[in-house]
Amino acid sequence: MKGSGTKPIYVIGHRNPDTDSICSAISYAHLKQALGVNAVAARCGKINNETKYALEYFKVDEPLLVTDLYPRVKDVALECKIVIRQHDTLKHLGEVMRRNELQSIPVTDSKGELVGIVSVGDLAKRYFLELGLQNLAEMGVRYRDIIQATEAKVLVAGDENAFIEGAIAIAAGSAETTVSLLQPNDIVLVGDRSVDTLNKILDTGVSCMLVTGGCRIAPEVLEKAEKLKVFVLVSPYDTYIVGRLLNQCVPVRRIMHAEPICFRPMDLLSDIKGIMDEYRFRSYPVVENGKLVGIVSADEIMMPEREKVILVDHNERGQAVEGIEDAKIIEIIDHHRLGGVQTSEPIYTRQEPVGCTCTIVANMHWHRDIEIPPSIAGLLLSAIISDTVLFKSPTCTAKDKKTAEKLAEIAGVDLKEYGLAMLRAGAGIGGKSPTEIAKNDMKEFKIGDYRIIVSQISVMDPKEVLDIEDKLIEVMKDNCDREGFDMHLLMVTDILEEATYLLYAGSPRTLIGEAFKKDASGTHVYLPGVMSRKKQIIPPLSEAVKRIKPQ
């Protein structure tokens, strides 16, 4: 809830995260935390086998899963510190509202579960509808409520928790008239009356005699009341005020709105605005598993506090977590081409033409004299090994290799031995379905006028993927049709042979032929020496689209 403290800054990578996306998020969050920033590592997709191996090897927990950044009720809801119980009196309700200057209050039962909501308007409406004394017997009022509301002193006690069974009467006329109107179990309001009159009233079988104006009661009357087991109460207020106070003994549940419109913490603000516009209440309870957890007002949702995020290993809107347009990007740390993410104000960015984002993050630690623990060093190393395919990728730079060697020493691992083990853990299709394979490490790109997604899976034996090529192409075609992409490309990268089988679905196929100078009439082309999406797939496609674009 909004009132629970300062919101963290999410450090998050791209959708369908790879090892660099996850490890750079964890490692950069570590750097920010060391610098005193409330940063939290996050992810917006499932962790693959290679990354899982690295996390388990270095005993680091997975980042927090953040499926989207759309503003939700939890982002604007305030902690609800003041509630009223359904059995509390209207008098108590009014005091709480006046003392705290509230317009409405949620109503709960004894277990803290929401049962209603009550407003100042409900109290005012009841006040104007009161034309006489209420039938408290029908309202479920107890004697203790009368004692509390009228601030009465108990002269003759009884069962204060008992419910009132009779009507309220005022001894305003003669003794004979008053007695004739009283019924057994009634509560009678009396002022300064004679002993004889009071005794006659007790003889009628009333359950309670409420003396107003603080009048004294003769001892013989009290003795008789005690013998007949009649409550005797003395209030300091006059009869008119006591009558008004008795009407305020009614429990809140009698005027509250039962089954109020309420929201859950994870409800999207965009979904609840229409409901608020329709009903126009000032505030709405927020519940979770039936329990009241907060309150949200219509004013609060107009200007919700945006989530703050740091993007790592990407800078394109199509690759970012859902709802990025509703968040506030404060930094970008990346090693890819600039892809068009727009910000409302200048931000800090760090982009270098290296093989891995974690190369940048590691050197940022050293530049700021922040010590890298062995576990974080291991994750940084894992990402560099993954993105450079153990330095075989053309994206690998001397800086990547030098950084990896230094990190391996800190992490206490043999670079080549650990690297091969990690790549082997992530290679192959394992138990993946055709859909999972087709979407593995998937990224979206805008190339010319075309929306293209490029997935990649690294394997030791590409045959296990090519054997199900027909099923993969079917999934890729369906993905294009359903999501509105022009093409879906899948890189099946052979780690041992340092080559890629590029599968493709959608159109225009001439884009594939023009980019790689291959016959693209089938469903895949073989690209020897190609291992990098960033450096060997996207640039040729970007150049080719200029040549095939209609004049």
Side-chain angles (χ1 to χ4, degrees):
M1 290 298 161
K2 183 180 176 183
S4 61
T6 305
K7 293 176 68 173
I9 298 170
Y10 292 120
V11 184
I12 192 166
H14 52 74
R15 303 180 200 179
N16 306 295
D18 57 7
T19 301
D20 188 24
S21 178
I22 296 295
C23 293
S24 59
I26 294 172
S27 303
Y28 196 64
H30 170 267
L31 174 60
K32 300 302 287 187
Q33 289 164 10
L35 295 172
V37 177
N38 183 18
V40 173
R43 60 186 171 92
C44 55
K46 186 179 178 181
I47 287 178
N48 63 36
N49 290 336
E50 178 186 273
T51 310
K52 185 178 180 182
Y53 178 88
L55 292 174
E56 291 179 350
Y57 189 96
F58 293 105
K59 297 180 174 60
V60 177
D61 294 333
E62 295 182 1
L64 175 71
L65 177 62
V66 176
T67 55
D68 65 70
L69 295 172
Y70 295 118
R72 298 179 183 273
V73 168
K74 66 178 179 63
D75 299 319
V76 298
L78 297 173
E79 184 180 354
C80 190
K81 297 180 179 179
I82 301 172
V83 297
I84 203 86
R85 303 294 185 189
Q86 61 179 338
H87 296 303
D88 288 338
T89 64
L90 299 188
K91 182 175 184 293
H92 178 63
L93 170 65
E95 291 170 348
V96 172
M97 283 187 158
R98 183 173 61 253
R99 185 168 59 247
N100 296 283
E101 298 182 349
L102 298 175
Q103 297 296 317
S104 63
I105 304 181
V107 184
T108 64
D109 61 15
S110 57
K111 297 179 181 177
E113 294 190 3
L114 183 74
V115 293
I117 193 167
V118 64
S119 68
V120 168
D122 298 322
L123 266 179
K125 182 179 179 182
R126 179 171 183 84
Y127 178 85
F128 285 112
L129 289 176
E130 287 178 3
L131 298 177
L133 290 170
Q134 303 296 304
N135 187 337
L136 302 186
E138 295 179 352
M139 299 293 182
V141 176
R142 301 172 190 263
Y143 288 100
R144 70 186 183 195
D145 299 325
I146 290 179
I147 296 169
Q148 182 182 17
T150 63
E151 299 179 23
K153 182 179 180 181
V154 180
L155 299 184
V156 177
D159 184 3
E160 295 183 7
N161 289 316
F163 288 100
I164 292 169
E165 297 179 2
I168 305 294
I170 298 177
S174 65
E176 290 74 16
T177 301
T178 299
V179 169
S180 67
L181 296 175
L182 294 176
Q183 299 291 326
N185 295 319
D186 280 353
I187 296 173
V188 61
L189 277 58
V190 298
D192 189 8
R193 306 300 291 266
S194 67
V195 171
D196 182 60
T197 298
L198 296 177
N199 281 333
K200 286 179 179 179
I201 290 174
L202 291 175
D203 288 335
T204 63
V206 295
S207 63
C208 178
M209 188 161 64
L210 178 49
V211 183
T212 64
C215 297
R216 292 183 72 256
I217 304 297
E220 57 264 39
V221 175
L222 295 178
E223 288 177 10
K224 184 170 184 175
E226 194 162 356
K227 186 183 296 184
L228 295 174
K229 297 182 178 178
V230 177
F231 263 113
V232 178
L233 311 175
V234 178
S235 172
Y237 300 110
D238 63 34
T239 303
Y240 172 78
I241 293 178
V242 169
R244 301 295 298 176
L245 292 174
L246 286 177
N247 281 339
Q248 294 179 31
C249 290
V250 174
V252 171
R253 62 184 174 82
R254 289 292 179 173
I255 70 165
M256 72 181 186
H257 294 281
E259 300 181 0
I261 295 167
C262 52
F263 304 118
R264 294 168 297 181
M266 295 305 291
D267 286 342
L268 294 172
L269 294 190
S270 58
D271 290 342
I272 73 169
K273 284 181 179 177
I275 299 173
M276 286 186 164
D277 290 341
E278 179 181 354
Y279 290 95
R280 297 188 176 278
F281 294 141
R282 279 180 172 271
S283 58
Y284 301 80
V286 181
V287 297
E288 192 167 28
N289 299 322
K291 299 287 186 182
L292 179 70
V293 295
I295 198 88
V296 60
S297 72
D299 295 336
E300 287 288 339
I301 73 165
M302 300 307 294
M303 291 293 291
E305 182 183 356
R306 294 191 293 168
E307 299 284 5
K308 294 179 181 179
V309 294
I310 296 173
L311 303 184
V312 293
D313 196 32
H314 73 299
N315 68 85
E316 298 200 34
R317 168 65 187 87
Q319 297 175 14
V321 59
E322 286 287 341
I324 191 66
E325 65 276 7
D326 289 324
K328 183 176 182 179
I329 302 171
I330 59 174
E331 293 185 30
I332 297 176
I333 313 297
D334 191 21
H335 69 126
H336 295 95
R337 70 171 191 171
L338 293 173
V341 166
Q342 294 184 342
T343 61
S344 59
E345 56 192 63
I347 65 170
Y348 177 82
T349 62
R350 178 76 175 262
Q351 290 181 273
E352 295 183 31
V354 291
C356 180
T357 307
C358 278
T359 298
I360 303 171
V361 175
N363 283 277
M364 289 178 75
H365 274 78
W366 293 324
H367 178 72
R368 289 163 174 75
D369 293 324
I370 301 298
E371 183 179 352
I372 302 178
S375 59
I376 298 297
L379 296 186
L380 290 164
L381 171 65
S382 300
I384 297 172
I385 291 170
S386 175
D387 264 20
T388 66
V389 197
L390 201 54
F391 316 123
K392 293 179 181 179
S393 171
T395 61
C396 183
T397 67
K399 188 172 184 178
D400 292 302
K401 194 165 185 179
K402 182 180 179 181
T403 301
E405 290 169 349
K406 189 174 179 180
L407 291 168
E409 185 177 343
I410 297 172
V413 297
D414 180 276
L415 198 160
K416 186 173 183 181
E417 182 181 333
Y418 170 76
L420 287 172
M422 187 195 76
L423 292 175
R424 194 174 295 113
I429 62 176
K432 288 187 177 73
S433 67
T435 299
E436 290 174 322
I437 296 170
K439 293 186 175 182
N440 192 73
D441 191 14
M442 185 172 70
K443 293 183 180 180
E444 178 184 344
F445 299 90
K446 190 75 165 61
I447 300 178
D449 293 330
Y450 302 111
R451 286 182 68 209
I452 297 177
I453 45 176
V454 185
S455 307
Q456 183 172 23
I457 186 167
S458 298
V459 295
M460 298 290 188
D461 179 12
K463 185 176 182 299
E464 60 179 343
V465 180
L466 296 176
D467 283 346
I468 58 170
E469 182 174 357
D470 291 345
K471 293 180 179 178
L472 292 171
I473 295 298
E474 185 178 335
V475 169
M476 292 159 66
K477 284 180 180 177
D478 181 67
N479 195 35
C480 288
D481 294 338
R482 189 177 61 256
E483 302 295 337
F485 294 109
D486 293 289
M487 296 196 77
H488 186 163
L489 280 55
L490 170 61
M491 297 174 64
V492 182
T493 301
D494 187 334
I495 297 174
L496 298 178
E497 295 297 326
E498 299 182 31
T500 290
Y501 290 86
L502 183 66
L503 281 60
Y504 44 87
S507 62
R509 292 190 180 189
T510 51
L511 181 61
I512 303 297
E514 181 66 29
F516 304 107
K517 307 304 180 187
K518 299 277 186 177
D519 179 4
S521 59
T523 55
H524 81 258
V525 292
Y526 179 67
L527 304 175
V530 171
M531 303 184 74
S532 169
R533 170 172 45 199
K534 179 179 72 173
K535 203 160 188 176
Q536 296 173 297
I537 297 294
I538 300 306
L541 290 173
S542 299
E543 290 301 316
V545 78
K546 299 174 185 177
R547 298 192 292 271
I548 69 166
K549 188 175 181 179
Q551 299 297 316

